[in-house]
PDB file of all heavy atoms in Angstrom:
ATOM      1  N   ARG X  56      91.700  91.055  81.184  1.00  0.00           N
ATOM      2  CA  ARG X  56      91.691  92.065  80.115  1.00  0.00           C
ATOM      3  C   ARG X  56      90.745  93.160  80.527  1.00  0.00           C
ATOM      4  O   ARG X  56      91.024  94.430  79.927  1.00  0.00           O
ATOM      5  CB  ARG X  56      91.336  91.501  78.744  1.00  0.00           C
ATOM      6  CG  ARG X  56      92.383  90.597  78.208  1.00  0.00           C
ATOM      7  CD  ARG X  56      92.073  89.914  76.937  1.00  0.00           C
ATOM      8  NE  ARG X  56      92.999  89.000  76.402  1.00  0.00           N
ATOM      9  CZ  ARG X  56      92.803  88.280  75.323  1.00  0.00           C
ATOM     10  NH1 ARG X  56      91.652  88.411  74.619  1.00  0.00           N
ATOM     11  NH2 ARG X  56      93.766  87.349  74.881  1.00  0.00           N
ATOM     12  N   ILE X  57      89.754  92.927  81.178  1.00  0.00           N
ATOM     13  CA  ILE X  57      88.766  93.988  81.552  1.00  0.00           C
ATOM     14  C   ILE X  57      88.506  94.036  83.088  1.00  0.00           C
ATOM     15  O   ILE X  57      88.389  92.947  83.735  1.00  0.00           O
ATOM     16  CB  ILE X  57      87.426  93.633  80.808  1.00  0.00           C
ATOM     17  CG1 ILE X  57      87.561  93.525  79.353  1.00  0.00           C
ATOM     18  CG2 ILE X  57      86.387  94.695  81.176  1.00  0.00           C
ATOM     19  CD1 ILE X  57      86.305  93.070  78.543  1.00  0.00           C
ATOM     20  N   THR X  58      88.536  95.208  83.596  1.00  0.00           N
ATOM     21  CA  THR X  58      88.169  95.371  85.008  1.00  0.00           C
ATOM     22  C   THR X  58      87.086  96.482  85.077  1.00  0.00           C
ATOM     23  O   THR X  58      86.966  97.359  84.274  1.00  0.00           O
ATOM     24  CB  THR X  58      89.416  95.946  85.665  1.00  0.00           C
ATOM     25  OG1 THR X  58      89.912  97.068  85.064  1.00  0.00           O
ATOM     26  CG2 THR X  58      90.569  94.914  85.607  1.00  0.00           C
ATOM     27  N   ARG X  59      86.389  96.366  86.251  1.00  0.00           N
ATOM     28  CA  ARG X  59      85.279  97.251  86.462  1.00  0.00           C
ATOM     29  C   ARG X  59      85.405  97.580  87.939  1.00  0.00           C
ATOM     30  O   ARG X  59      85.751  96.787  88.812  1.00  0.00           O
ATOM     31  CB  ARG X  59      83.981  96.705  86.069  1.00  0.00           C
ATOM     32  CG  ARG X  59      83.663  96.676  84.606  1.00  0.00           C
ATOM     33  CD  ARG X  59      82.417  96.157  84.246  1.00  0.00           C
ATOM     34  NE  ARG X  59      82.254  96.035  82.807  1.00  0.00           N
ATOM     35  CZ  ARG X  59      81.182  95.505  82.264  1.00  0.00           C
ATOM     36  NH1 ARG X  59      80.271  94.975  82.903  1.00  0.00           N
ATOM     37  NH2 ARG X  59      81.164  95.418  80.887  1.00  0.00           N
ATOM     38  N   TYR X  60      84.931  98.794  88.319  1.00  0.00           N
ATOM     39  CA  TYR X  60      85.053  99.269  89.688  1.00  0.00           C
ATOM     40  C   TYR X  60      83.855 100.031  90.130  1.00  0.00           C
ATOM     41  O   TYR X  60      83.117 100.630  89.319  1.00  0.00           O
ATOM     42  CB  TYR X  60      86.188 100.215  89.819  1.00  0.00           C
ATOM     43  CG  TYR X  60      87.550  99.621  89.461  1.00  0.00           C
ATOM     44  CD1 TYR X  60      88.059  99.758  88.261  1.00  0.00           C
ATOM     45  CD2 TYR X  60      88.328  98.937  90.445  1.00  0.00           C
ATOM     46  CE1 TYR X  60      89.219  99.190  87.878  1.00  0.00           C
ATOM     47  CE2 TYR X  60      89.497  98.414  90.151  1.00  0.00           C
ATOM     48  CZ  TYR X  60      89.992  98.474  88.869  1.00  0.00           C
ATOM     49  OH  TYR X  60      91.244  97.915  88.561  1.00  0.00           O
ATOM     50  N   ALA X  61      83.481  99.915  91.433  1.00  0.00           N
ATOM     51  CA  ALA X  61      82.403 100.739  91.899  1.00  0.00           C
ATOM     52  C   ALA X  61      82.832 102.189  91.849  1.00  0.00           C
ATOM     53  O   ALA X  61      84.058 102.486  91.954  1.00  0.00           O
ATOM     54  CB  ALA X  61      82.206 100.333  93.441  1.00  0.00           C
ATOM     55  N   ASP X  62      81.883 103.063  91.632  1.00  0.00           N
ATOM     56  CA  ASP X  62      82.179 104.478  91.492  1.00  0.00           C
ATOM     57  C   ASP X  62      82.946 104.995  92.776  1.00  0.00           C
ATOM     58  O   ASP X  62      83.799 105.867  92.590  1.00  0.00           O
ATOM     59  CB  ASP X  62      80.863 105.225  91.391  1.00  0.00           C
ATOM     60  CG  ASP X  62      80.257 105.044  89.934  1.00  0.00           C
ATOM     61  OD1 ASP X  62      80.934 104.587  89.076  1.00  0.00           O
ATOM     62  OD2 ASP X  62      79.121 105.318  89.821  1.00  0.00           O
ATOM     63  N   SER X  63      82.647 104.392  93.891  1.00  0.00           N
ATOM     64  CA  SER X  63      83.195 104.917  95.163  1.00  0.00           C
ATOM     65  C   SER X  63      84.717 104.602  95.268  1.00  0.00           C
ATOM     66  O   SER X  63      85.454 105.326  96.028  1.00  0.00           O
ATOM     67  CB  SER X  63      82.457 104.249  96.358  1.00  0.00           C
ATOM     68  OG  SER X  63      82.628 102.899  96.295  1.00  0.00           O
ATOM     69  N   VAL X  64      85.232 103.695  94.390  1.00  0.00           N
ATOM     70  CA  VAL X  64      86.607 103.294  94.548  1.00  0.00           C
ATOM     71  C   VAL X  64      87.454 103.602  93.298  1.00  0.00           C
ATOM     72  O   VAL X  64      88.670 103.438  93.193  1.00  0.00           O
ATOM     73  CB  VAL X  64      86.914 101.903  95.036  1.00  0.00           C
ATOM     74  CG1 VAL X  64      86.077 101.654  96.253  1.00  0.00           C
ATOM     75  CG2 VAL X  64      86.427 101.037  93.853  1.00  0.00           C
ATOM     76  N   LYS X  65      86.681 104.023  92.273  1.00  0.00           N
ATOM     77  CA  LYS X  65      87.272 104.224  90.944  1.00  0.00           C
ATOM     78  C   LYS X  65      88.420 105.234  91.092  1.00  0.00           C
ATOM     79  O   LYS X  65      88.185 106.351  91.583  1.00  0.00           O
ATOM     80  CB  LYS X  65      86.241 104.644  89.885  1.00  0.00           C
ATOM     81  CG  LYS X  65      86.691 104.573  88.518  1.00  0.00           C
ATOM     82  CD  LYS X  65      85.536 104.746  87.463  1.00  0.00           C
ATOM     83  CE  LYS X  65      84.444 103.737  87.591  1.00  0.00           C
ATOM     84  NZ  LYS X  65      83.327 103.879  86.597  1.00  0.00           N
ATOM     85  N   GLY X  66      89.548 104.950  90.406  1.00  0.00           N
ATOM     86  CA  GLY X  66      90.652 105.810  90.583  1.00  0.00           C
ATOM     87  C   GLY X  66      91.586 105.581  91.720  1.00  0.00           C
ATOM     88  O   GLY X  66      92.722 106.141  91.715  1.00  0.00           O
ATOM     89  N   ARG X  67      91.109 104.906  92.673  1.00  0.00           N
ATOM     90  CA  ARG X  67      91.860 104.667  93.869  1.00  0.00           C
ATOM     91  C   ARG X  67      92.252 103.203  94.001  1.00  0.00           C
ATOM     92  O   ARG X  67      93.283 102.888  94.711  1.00  0.00           O
ATOM     93  CB  ARG X  67      91.075 105.137  95.103  1.00  0.00           C
ATOM     94  CG  ARG X  67      90.706 106.412  95.163  1.00  0.00           C
ATOM     95  CD  ARG X  67      90.112 107.026  96.464  1.00  0.00           C
ATOM     96  NE  ARG X  67      88.836 106.275  96.715  1.00  0.00           N
ATOM     97  CZ  ARG X  67      88.600 105.530  97.786  1.00  0.00           C
ATOM     98  NH1 ARG X  67      89.579 105.265  98.669  1.00  0.00           N
ATOM     99  NH2 ARG X  67      87.390 104.874  97.965  1.00  0.00           N
ATOM    100  N   PHE X  68      91.419 102.250  93.667  1.00  0.00           N
ATOM    101  CA  PHE X  68      91.623 100.900  93.806  1.00  0.00           C
ATOM    102  C   PHE X  68      91.987 100.362  92.414  1.00  0.00           C
ATOM    103  O   PHE X  68      91.475 100.644  91.358  1.00  0.00           O
ATOM    104  CB  PHE X  68      90.357 100.171  94.436  1.00  0.00           C
ATOM    105  CG  PHE X  68      90.126 100.490  95.797  1.00  0.00           C
ATOM    106  CD1 PHE X  68      90.629 101.521  96.503  1.00  0.00           C
ATOM    107  CD2 PHE X  68      89.075  99.716  96.495  1.00  0.00           C
ATOM    108  CE1 PHE X  68      90.411 101.740  97.810  1.00  0.00           C
ATOM    109  CE2 PHE X  68      88.720 100.013  97.770  1.00  0.00           C
ATOM    110  CZ  PHE X  68      89.398 101.014  98.427  1.00  0.00           C
TER     111      PHE X  68
END
Side-chain angles (χ1 to χ4, degrees):
R56 294 177 181 174
I57 303 174
T58 58
R59 292 179 180 174
Y60 300 91
D62 288 341
S63 59
V64 307
K65 192 173 298 182
R67 299 187 297 118
F68 290 11

